[in-house]
Amino acid sequence: MNAESFDAIVLGAGAAGMMCAATAGGRGKRVLLVDHADEPGKKILISGGGRCNFTNIHIAADRYISGNPHFAKSALGRYTPQDFLGLVERYGIAWHEKTLGQLFCDGSARQIVEMMVQECVKAGVTAMLARTVSAISHRDGRFVVMIGGREYTAPALVLATGGPSIPKLGATGFAYDVARQFGLSIVHPRPALVPLTLGPDEALFRSLSGVSADVEVRWEKARFREAALFTHRGLSGPAMLQISSYWQHRTPIYVNFLPGSETGWTIQEKQAQPRATLKRILAGRLPARLADTLTERLGLEGDLGNLPDKVLRAAEAQLTGWAFTPTGTEGFAKAEVTAGGISTNGLSSRTMMAARVPGLYAIGEAVDVTGWLGGYNFQWAWASGRAAGEAV
Ligand code: FDA
């Protein structure tokens, strides 16, 4: 069969794959970039509410979850948020910092996709969209990728097909299948940055659907102070999405509904206004519907003046460490990312190449490296894509 040969074949034209292909092409490599979707970067297009939170200025390896907490350091250290921002600025894309170091486009996420496509075009990358890979093999030191009955070969194959979160956008576990085929191990993939569900015991909270509040949530040592949103199924909003990446089934998370409140503030309120109710003073610090529900669950109706200090202290403790035991998550259909994936154990942190399969690389979300909410996952995609693109 007449095979077409390249220096590198990159599977997946998302954030990581496009960065890898453009970097390798820019070094003079002949690169084939393949995607089964009819356009590149579909997740970029819907990211950040359509404005793409493309990086975060507070990138640090401890803001990533991985079986090897040190793995991401090398790539992140060599391609920084400032490097990506430099690229954004060279393309004249206007941007702003929103909150917590998160950088967004002023205009549209499409500008980021167009920039990456342009980088690939400039680097002479051959792109094949809307094409299905039917088989992959390895012969005489070259990877052979079968597409539409034709063979494409290269000494380097890069897995950049992401994880299975949001299957309706074409997300698949394809990278894991190929990795397994070549003997790499997979850390059990699970939905992350995903809303948590509550069971019937917590139905009262589900009735708060649409209410949001600034909270601090913790699970073991992980803690986040951001907004939480009650939904008709459970808990969402940035704080809950963040903790979901750490949370493990059948364990509680603890929510402080009054972050920053001084201990004993209810007793001071009792002294100042003994005829006020707990519900009323809580409503001064929280949305009224949430204050109602919390008071109802605490069972503390009546004037503060009639509640012993001990009871108020116990109420404060509960309000600052409210335990919820989620029944689960809303799954891959709603997860912004997938935690777990191709194990970092078998990969070089410098090049992303598999130690036991020379020439096979894995980058981006396909790898067991999962960032916090807020631009961390794109920065990992850019940085790991860059690392592999410099190595192939
Ligand atoms: P990505 O998933 O981007 O790309 C994989 C590519 O492979 C896709 O083009 C897909 O079509 C292709 N593919 C899959 N299976 C294939 C197969 N079998 N054959 C061929 N091609 C295949 N992150 C962030 O930092 N800031 C943000 O603002 C957001 N916002 C956000 C919103 C929403 C709704 C989601 C779902 C996710 C985010 N994220 C995010 C996460 C971010 O989108 C994600 O981490 C990166 O897109 C991962 O980049 P990759 O290139 O690794 O995978």
Side-chain angles (χ1 to χ4, degrees):
M1 193 187 297
N2 186 9
E4 198 173 337
S5 69
F6 288 87
D7 296 320
I9 299 175
V10 180
L11 301 180
M18 286 195 282
M19 178 59 91
C20 177
T23 305
R27 291 171 48 233
K29 301 284 173 184
R30 291 189 64 233
V31 181
L32 175 65
L33 177 63
V34 185
D35 204 296
H36 67 173
D38 55 2
E39 65 176 323
K42 281 194 173 177
K43 275 195 185 163
I44 301 176
L45 287 177
I46 58 158
S47 67
R51 290 221 164 86
C52 187
N53 177 193
F54 54 79
T55 193
N56 191 298
I57 55 174
H58 301 307
I59 294 291
D62 64 1
R63 296 176 173 206
Y64 290 84
I65 303 162
S66 170
N68 174 356
H70 303 292
F71 183 82
K73 282 183 186 163
S74 171
L76 291 172
R78 283 175 297 131
Y79 191 77
T80 64
Q82 286 67 30
D83 291 325
F84 191 75
L85 194 53
L87 181 62
V88 166
E89 292 191 330
R90 281 200 293 286
Y91 276 76
I93 299 173
W95 58 275
H96 61 280
E97 182 183 339
K98 200 168 171 188
T99 173
L100 302 171
Q102 302 168 2
L103 305 191
F104 285 76
C105 297
D106 287 358
S108 153
R110 190 165 287 280
Q111 295 173 286
I112 299 292
V113 176
E114 282 168 1
M115 174 184 85
M116 293 312 301
V117 168
Q118 201 47 43
E119 286 290 287
C120 288
V121 169
K122 261 181 17 198
V125 172
T126 303
M128 287 175 73
L129 299 177
R131 304 297 287 276
T132 304
V133 173
S134 53
I136 297 175
S137 56
H138 195 222
R139 272 198 323 256
D140 307 327
R142 294 182 78 83
F143 292 89
V144 182
V145 178
M146 186 71 102
I147 302 167
R150 180 141 195 227
E151 285 184 353
Y152 297 84
T153 77
L157 178 69
V158 184
L159 304 178
T161 53
S165 55
I166 321 273
K168 73 168 192 248
L169 280 183
T172 65
F174 182 75
Y176 310 153
D177 299 338
V178 181
R180 280 195 199 95
Q181 178 189 335
F182 287 99
L184 306 190
S185 53
I186 306 295
V187 175
H188 177 66
R190 59 193 175 83
L193 299 181
V194 62
L196 298 166
T197 53
L198 295 175
D201 289 354
E202 289 166 319
L204 201 55
F205 287 99
R206 295 196 319 218
S207 70
L208 288 176
S209 183
V211 171
S212 81
D214 176 34
V215 303
E216 185 184 78
V217 58
R218 62 189 161 84
W219 184 84
E220 298 207 337
K221 286 190 181 139
R223 56 178 68 211
F224 295 94
R225 179 161 178 190
E226 283 187 68
L229 171 71
F230 292 93
T231 72
H232 66 284
R233 299 194 61 191
L235 300 166
S236 188
M240 298 302 165
L241 298 183
Q242 296 277 35
I243 212 73
S244 75
S245 301
Y246 291 86
W247 176 73
Q248 284 175 13
H249 278 266
R250 285 183 282 281
T251 59
I253 57 171
Y254 294 93
V255 177
N256 179 352
F257 285 110
L258 299 165
S261 286
E262 61 294 5
T263 313
W265 72 276
T266 53
I267 296 168
Q268 285 165 21
E269 291 283 4
K270 170 176 148 177
Q271 284 155 4
Q273 39 178 345
R275 304 292 300 275
T277 59
L278 184 63
K279 190 197 289 193
R280 199 174 98 206
I281 62 163
L282 275 182
R285 297 179 180 225
L286 293 170
R289 279 169 66 201
L290 177 58
D292 273 5
T293 300
L294 292 171
T295 318
E296 196 178 327
R297 287 293 289 248
L298 288 168
L300 295 179
E301 307 291 342
D303 294 353
L304 288 176
N306 294 330
L307 297 172
D309 288 1
K310 200 170 83 180
V311 168
L312 288 174
R313 258 186 239 110
E316 273 184 32
Q318 208 168 335
L319 290 165
T320 52
W322 200 285
F324 289 95
T325 303
T327 51
T329 74
E330 291 196 27
F332 285 117
K334 292 283 167 63
E336 266 195 28
V337 289
T338 304
I342 299 171
S343 172
T344 55
N345 284 341
L347 300 177
S348 154
S349 61
R350 203 176 61 78
T351 63
M352 306 290 135
M353 190 175 83
R356 54 183 293 176
V357 192
L360 181 65
Y361 297 76
I363 56 176
E365 196 178 321
V367 178
D368 173 33
V369 172
T370 307
W372 283 6
L373 185 79
Y376 292 90
N377 286 297
F378 277 135
Q379 188 59 33
W380 168 246
W382 313 132
S384 59
R386 182 73 169 204
E390 280 169 349
V392 292

